[in-house]
Amino acid sequence: MEGWLSALDASSLPTLALATIVLVLALYVSTRTQPKLPGNLSPRGSVSLDASAFAPFDEARRDLGRLFAARGVYVSRADGTPPQRLEPPASLPSGIEKHALDAQYEAFALALRPFREQPLSSSELERLTSHLTVSPTITVLTSLNVPPMLLQSRFVLRLPRQGSIHSFSIGYLGTPISAAAAAKYAPFVLTVATPDLCDAASAQSDSRACTVTYSVRKTKYSRIEEELDKVAVESGHPLVSLVNS
């Protein structure tokens, strides 16, 4: 019996060797085909920004007007529900003339009113506006040796009824997958989160300098709106875990 088992084991060696080779090759191919995080990005991290990372306020306000008019801002109530798109009024004037910029800024502030027990103060609104541009995210990417390109980028504001205020820049990162300009997406979703921007949290400093946190995860959908819905309901999603709340 022992000799028969030894013979059986010996006859099985070629099959076992072949199975091992196939497994190693499969692991190798899988590893080679998995996209690597670009530059020096980690799955999670933080970057310190000084005042030079932010656009001048007039420029930031102009960017906010365009962003708001293009319906590129969402609001999360911090209760785990999907972010809600912030809708500009139909009568909102376009353009970058002073009267148009003033109207856009005022309309944006009014659109936030239903989400808070008290309106944002002028200083809170200014701090928030400074983060609703591409400048801080570009600084984060360049500091980590990543090409400064974010596809289908959106901004999500986390506004509970009172207390903390956070802004999130979210978009696709990496080599574009689709060739269609309006539908380009990439292998990763980047989320950059601000610290708390409310007056109480910022009382010790008048500077815009701050430390932002970021997370990178694999893309699951080709539309950023679907990714926004996904991150809003998953446990540990950036809108919760990145602000430690």
Side-chain angles (χ1 to χ4, degrees):
M1 176 68 72
E2 184 177 345
W4 181 80
L5 287 175
S6 298
L8 180 62
D9 290 343
S11 66
S12 302
L13 287 178
T15 302
L16 291 173
L18 179 61
T20 301
I21 292 172
V22 170
L23 178 60
V24 170
L25 285 174
L27 289 173
Y28 174 77
V29 171
S30 174
T31 303
R32 290 294 299 269
T33 56
Q34 289 294 326
K36 292 179 61 177
L37 288 177
N40 297 326
L41 274 173
S42 301
R44 296 174 67 90
S46 61
V47 175
S48 295
L49 304 178
D50 59 27
S52 67
F54 298 90
F57 182 70
D58 287 346
E59 181 180 330
R61 199 170 78 135
R62 186 168 62 247
D63 289 346
L64 171 60
R66 285 196 293 260
L67 179 70
F68 181 45
R71 304 169 69 237
V73 183
Y74 293 73
V75 175
S76 167
R77 289 187 179 275
D79 58 1
T81 56
Q84 173 183 335
R85 192 193 296 266
L86 205 60
E87 295 289 347
S91 59
L92 186 69
S94 59
I96 58 173
E97 294 79 10
K98 185 179 184 305
H99 76 276
L101 293 176
D102 289 344
Q104 293 160 9
Y105 195 64
E106 181 179 355
F108 174 73
L110 287 173
L112 300 180
R113 289 275 184 93
F115 297 93
R116 302 283 285 183
E117 288 185 358
Q118 298 292 329
L120 268 63
S121 69
S122 59
S123 56
E124 288 172 340
L125 191 58
E126 287 181 10
R127 281 193 292 273
L128 181 58
T129 299
S130 294
H131 284 275
L132 296 180
T133 74
V134 298
S135 296
T137 299
I138 286 177
T139 301
V140 169
L141 293 176
T142 54
S143 71
L144 295 169
N145 297 318
V146 179
M149 180 176 65
L150 205 60
L151 301 173
Q152 296 190 41
S153 62
R154 302 288 188 272
F155 290 90
V156 178
L157 312 181
R158 189 167 186 262
L159 296 176
R161 294 296 297 168
Q162 57 184 349
S164 62
I165 301 168
H166 295 271
S167 172
F168 302 83
S169 172
I170 300 177
Y172 292 115
L173 183 69
T175 303
I177 295 174
S178 171
K184 282 185 178 180
Y185 67 107
F188 302 103
V189 176
L190 171 71
T191 302
V192 178
T194 71
D196 189 354
L197 302 176
C198 74
D199 282 338
S202 305
Q204 302 301 317
S205 175
D206 294 328
S207 172
R208 290 177 294 177
C210 65
T211 297
V212 296
T213 52
Y214 72 83
S215 72
V216 187
R217 59 185 175 81
K218 292 180 182 178
T219 294
K220 288 197 173 182
Y221 304 97
S222 61
R223 293 179 62 250
I224 200 65
E225 285 77 15
E226 292 179 280
E227 296 285 354
L228 288 176
D229 287 346
K230 175 177 177 291
V231 300
V233 298
E234 283 189 339
S235 60
H237 69 76
L239 300 192
V240 172
S241 61
L242 276 181
V243 298
N244 298 318
S245 56

